[in-house]
Amino acid sequence: MNSKMTLSAQTFLITAGILLVLYWYTSEIEIQARVYPVQQVVGQPIRYMDSTSQADQWRWEFGNGQESWRSRGVVYYYQPGTYLIRLRVNKEATRTFTVVIRPKPLTDRRDSLVRIQGPSTGYEREKLVFTAVGGGASQFTWRFGATGQIDSRDQTAIYSYPTDEDRSRPRTYTVELMTDVTKYPIRKQITIVRGFNRFDPPVDSLDFVGSDIRQQLQQIADGQSFNTHYNYLLRKYLCNRNGSLVQINNTKANDFYSYCMGLQFDKGVHIDGVSVVSDSTTSCITRLNVTQHKP
């Protein structure tokens, strides 16, 4: 009788040990997966990938009825909205991701509004660039407020404000744009300050721009608000062109949007410096040369 009890106890201990090992094995799985970008436009690709150690089974559910049993791939969404993506690895571990799908931009439609894209401050005699965007307009009339006359009839106008005899304070002008699709002029204020003279200290504006961009990119890399810093750079320097080229350490390249999204996932990146290349006609930055490293 004691022999049977001993055998039963041994069997119980072995079984418990096996279950404990199995529990330890499954509970220790840590999913190493990525979904990017997490914000995208309707019809554009969202990439997904998993590199979890010892994983051999995957099930991706994309929140719109689509599924995948591969470790990586591409998925497309054709309706705007917020979608929850769920990944199950080895039928045990689970991780979720959220992606936001935006509608396609409407800036080229006839029912969108015409806007003035241009600086809010400038210097006397500086070549300032103003562009009419949106609305589908085909005829343009610019008045920059210094002469009282029509100054340009092009969609993109380059204008220099004259020297003001009273150099003690900045002067504010009203830029007016009239088009064939607007009933009243579109107006924008610009403040003009006196130009540099030979007694002013030298200022390298491109160095200033590169330093500002570096600081904003570092904020993204440090996990700060993506939209705040990304949209600031996009509007202020890139003329809303999210496909501008970013060259990283002179070896690899991305479009601006993908690069900024990647900074969110590539933890610990330090931005060492940024130099820029701009369009001489529009003053929009067309290329960023970024130097970065991971300590």
Side-chain angles (χ1 to χ4, degrees):
M1 184 71 177
N2 291 337
S3 167
K4 290 183 178 179
M5 290 180 63
T6 302
L7 182 60
S8 298
Q10 291 176 344
T11 302
F12 173 79
L13 290 174
I14 292 173
T15 303
I18 292 173
L19 292 174
L20 182 62
V21 170
L22 288 174
Y23 173 77
W24 175 85
Y25 177 79
T26 56
S27 65
E28 288 296 316
I29 292 179
E30 182 178 353
I31 291 181
Q32 300 293 328
R34 181 182 176 191
V35 173
Y36 63 98
V38 295
Q39 297 187 51
Q40 186 58 287
V41 176
V42 165
Q44 297 300 309
I46 297 285
R47 303 186 186 279
Y48 59 90
M49 60 179 296
D50 177 76
S51 56
T52 302
S53 177
Q54 300 179 342
D56 55 17
Q57 290 182 320
W58 302 269
R59 183 182 180 184
W60 293 87
E61 299 170 274
F62 299 107
N64 62 347
Q66 298 184 73
E67 295 183 351
S68 172
W69 286 266
R70 296 183 177 184
S71 63
R72 63 184 60 202
V74 177
V75 63
Y76 296 85
Y77 293 88
Y78 297 99
Q79 294 294 330
T82 300
Y83 295 86
L84 184 67
I85 297 178
R86 183 171 66 176
L87 167 63
R88 185 179 295 274
V89 176
N90 292 350
K91 297 183 179 180
E92 295 292 339
T94 301
R95 184 173 173 183
T96 59
F97 307 83
T98 301
V99 296
V100 178
I101 306 301
R102 306 189 305 271
K104 291 184 178 179
L106 302 177
T107 54
D108 291 332
R109 291 181 51 178
R110 295 288 299 188
D111 57 355
S112 64
L113 295 175
V114 180
R115 307 187 313 278
I116 297 176
Q117 181 175 283
S120 297
T121 59
Y123 294 100
E124 296 170 344
R125 304 185 308 277
E126 179 185 9
K127 289 184 178 180
L128 303 172
V129 179
F130 299 85
T131 302
V133 296
S138 59
Q139 297 178 18
F140 311 90
T141 301
W142 294 91
R143 299 176 187 268
F144 292 103
T147 65
Q149 302 176 352
I150 295 175
D151 298 298
S152 176
R153 294 188 183 275
D154 297 321
Q155 182 173 0
T156 296
I158 302 176
Y159 187 79
S160 297
Y161 282 91
T163 300
D164 191 346
E165 293 182 0
D166 180 5
R167 298 168 64 87
S168 62
R169 58 183 177 81
R171 182 166 181 177
T172 299
Y173 295 90
T174 299
V175 178
E176 292 187 353
L177 168 65
M178 191 67 188
T179 76
D180 55 325
V181 297
T182 51
K183 184 174 180 61
Y184 303 107
I186 303 157
R187 294 179 171 87
K188 175 182 176 66
Q189 298 286 313
I190 182 168
T191 300
I192 301 298
V193 298
R194 70 183 184 89
F196 291 113
N197 60 38
R198 60 193 181 97
F199 298 106
D200 289 318
V203 175
D204 191 332
S205 59
L206 290 184
D207 281 351
F208 174 81
V209 169
S211 177
D212 187 30
I213 293 175
R214 186 196 68 76
Q215 294 177 26
Q216 300 298 322
L217 292 178
Q218 189 64 61
Q219 293 293 319
I220 294 175
D222 291 343
Q224 301 301 316
S225 172
F226 175 86
N227 287 335
T228 298
H229 301 288
Y230 171 78
N231 290 327
Y232 169 84
L233 292 173
L234 196 65
R235 290 193 300 265
K236 185 168 183 177
Y237 297 118
L238 277 72
C239 299
N240 291 315
R241 298 173 183 172
N242 58 13
S244 298
L245 175 67
V246 181
Q247 186 84 27
I248 305 102
N249 294 336
N250 292 321
T251 57
K252 296 184 178 181
N254 273 109
D255 64 89
F256 180 71
Y257 178 77
S258 299
Y259 171 73
C260 290
M261 290 298 301
L263 285 180
Q264 293 189 112
F265 299 99
D266 195 8
K267 301 299 183 184
V269 171
H270 180 79
I271 310 296
D272 301 302
V274 177
S275 63
V276 301
V277 177
S278 61
D279 187 316
S280 59
T281 302
T282 64
S283 298
C284 300
I285 291 177
T286 58
R287 174 172 174 160
L288 303 178
N289 298 313
V290 178
T291 305
Q292 64 185 51
H293 76 282
K294 296 181 71 174

